[in-house]
Amino acid sequence: MPAILTLTLNPAIDETVSLERLRPGHVHRAHAVSFHAGGKGVNVAACLADWGAAVTATGILGEDNQACFTALFKAKGITDEFIRAPGETRTNIKLSHDDDTTDINLPGLPVSEEMVAALSARAETLTQPGGLALLAGSLPADVSPGIYAALTARLAAKGARVLLDSSGPPLAAALKGPVPPFAIKPNRAELEALLGTPLNTDEALLAAARGLVARGVALVVVSLGAEGALFVTQTAALRAHLPALRVASTVGAGDAMVAGIIAALDEGAPLERLARLATAFAAGKLTRPGPNLPPRAEVEALAESVTVQTP
C-alpha cells in the first residue's frame, strides 16, 4: 500500500471561540473556547489517521508551544517527522458565530533558508516510490512562493504522486513548475484568483478545471462548500453533492475533503468512489469539532448517500 506523507510549512494552533453572534465594535461574551493543533497538512493527517491509514506528517513547528501537536500525533498514531525550530507556532483565531466562522490568521514562525533546505531533504527521504505526498497550506513570510514547485519536482522524481492544496502565488508557481502536481483542490474563489476571471456558472467551472487538466494536472477538484465539489480528470468529470447534515463546525471541512481524496487514491479507487469518499470525509467532518472524522462505518454510509452526477 502506498505510503502517505503530509507536509505543512505554516502550521497553526486553531483557537476557536464560540459566540452567539458577531457585532463589530461590541464586547462579546464567549460560550466556549477550544484549542486544536492545525494547519492543512496536520488536519489532513488527523482525518486520515481516523480513517485508519498509516500517515507521516512533516513540516516545521515552534519548539516553545508544540505540546498540542505532539499530543495529537500520539493520540492518533501519526508518525511525527516535524522539524522543531526556535520560537512559537502561530495561533489562528476562529470566531464561530451565526452559523458561520470568521478567521483571524496570525503571522507564522520565521523560517530560514536552512530550515527549508533541511525540510526538503527530510521530505525526500520520507517519500516512497508509488507513495502519496501532500504539500499543504500557506507559506511563512520569508519562504519563496516557488517552494512547492521545487518540492513537487523533487518528490515526483522519487515516484510519488504529489497533491497540492494551496492558493495564490504558491499555487500559480507550482502550476508553472517543471512538473505539475498530480492533483489540486482549489475552491471557487481560489480558482477565480488563479485564473483572474469570475466563474459564476457550472460551465465556467468545468471549463476552468479542464484547462488545468490540459496543463498536466491529473486530477482537479474544485470544492464548492454546501454545493459539493467538482471532480475532473482527462477522461471524466463528476459533480458530487453533500447530504443534509447538522453542522457542528465548518472549520477544516476542505482539509477533510483532501484527506478523502488521498484515502481514495490510496485504495486505487475509480473517480466515482473518489468523489463519494472525498465528499463523505468533508460531510463527516462537519459533524465534529476539530480535525476529526466519525467512525469509518459512518463515513462509508455517508459516501453511499452522496449524490454524484455528470455535470
Side-chain angles (χ1 to χ4, degrees):
M1 187 172 290
I4 301 172
L5 175 69
T6 72
L7 184 149
T8 312
L9 269 162
N10 205 17
I13 297 172
D14 290 333
E15 179 181 358
T16 302
V17 180
S18 299
L19 307 171
E20 182 176 346
R21 64 180 59 87
L22 181 64
R23 301 174 63 197
H26 288 70
V27 175
H28 298 76
R29 185 176 297 277
H31 296 305
V33 61
S34 62
F35 297 86
H36 299 281
K40 282 185 174 294
V42 174
N43 292 341
V44 170
C47 290
L48 285 166
D50 285 348
W51 177 249
V55 58
T56 298
T58 191
I60 298 175
L61 283 177
E63 59 188 14
D64 294 348
N65 61 345
Q66 61 177 296
C68 65
F69 289 92
T70 56
L72 175 72
F73 299 149
K74 182 177 180 180
K76 289 186 179 276
I78 298 166
T79 301
D80 176 10
E81 288 287 350
F82 269 83
I83 292 173
R84 269 59 175 184
E88 292 189 349
T89 299
R90 65 184 176 138
T91 297
N92 286 343
I93 301 168
K94 299 180 180 296
L95 304 177
S96 178
H97 59 91
D98 307 300
D99 296 323
D100 203 352
T101 302
T102 298
D103 293 337
I104 304 171
N105 293 344
L106 302 186
L109 183 75
V111 174
S112 67
E113 291 182 7
E114 291 77 14
M115 290 180 200
V116 172
L119 177 60
S120 298
R122 179 170 293 192
E124 185 175 10
T125 299
L126 294 168
T127 299
Q128 297 182 20
L132 295 158
L134 170 69
L135 310 177
S138 61
L139 300 178
D142 297 330
V143 175
S144 166
I147 182 60
Y148 284 148
L151 279 168
T152 297
R154 194 164 175 173
L155 302 186
K158 290 289 297 285
R161 287 174 290 175
V162 180
L163 297 86
L164 176 61
D165 186 16
S166 190
S167 60
L171 173 59
L175 292 172
K176 294 176 182 177
V179 180
F182 177 84
I184 59 174
K185 190 212 66 66
N187 60 33
R188 187 195 299 268
E190 290 166 347
L191 188 55
E192 289 176 335
L194 175 69
L195 301 178
T197 186
L199 302 169
N200 297 324
T201 66
D202 289 349
E203 292 78 11
L205 282 170
L206 181 58
R210 283 177 168 157
L212 293 173
V213 169
R215 291 164 62 177
V217 182
L219 171 64
V220 176
V221 179
V222 185
S223 56
L224 302 168
E227 298 176 30
L230 181 66
F231 299 80
V232 181
T233 68
Q234 189 173 19
T235 58
L238 296 173
R239 180 73 177 267
H241 295 273
L242 294 165
L245 293 167
R246 182 180 180 86
V247 176
S249 172
T250 61
V251 176
D255 302 334
M257 177 168 282
V258 173
I261 293 168
I262 293 173
L265 291 172
D266 189 41
E267 67 179 44
L271 187 62
E272 181 176 342
R273 165 68 173 170
L274 187 149
R276 288 184 178 279
L277 199 57
T279 307
F281 267 55
K285 163 63 200 76
L286 292 173
T287 68
R288 298 288 195 277
N292 303 297
L293 288 186
R296 185 165 181 149
E298 188 174 329
V299 176
E300 289 285 11
L302 285 169
E304 290 298 316
S305 70
V306 170
T307 301
V308 179
Q309 299 171 320
T310 301

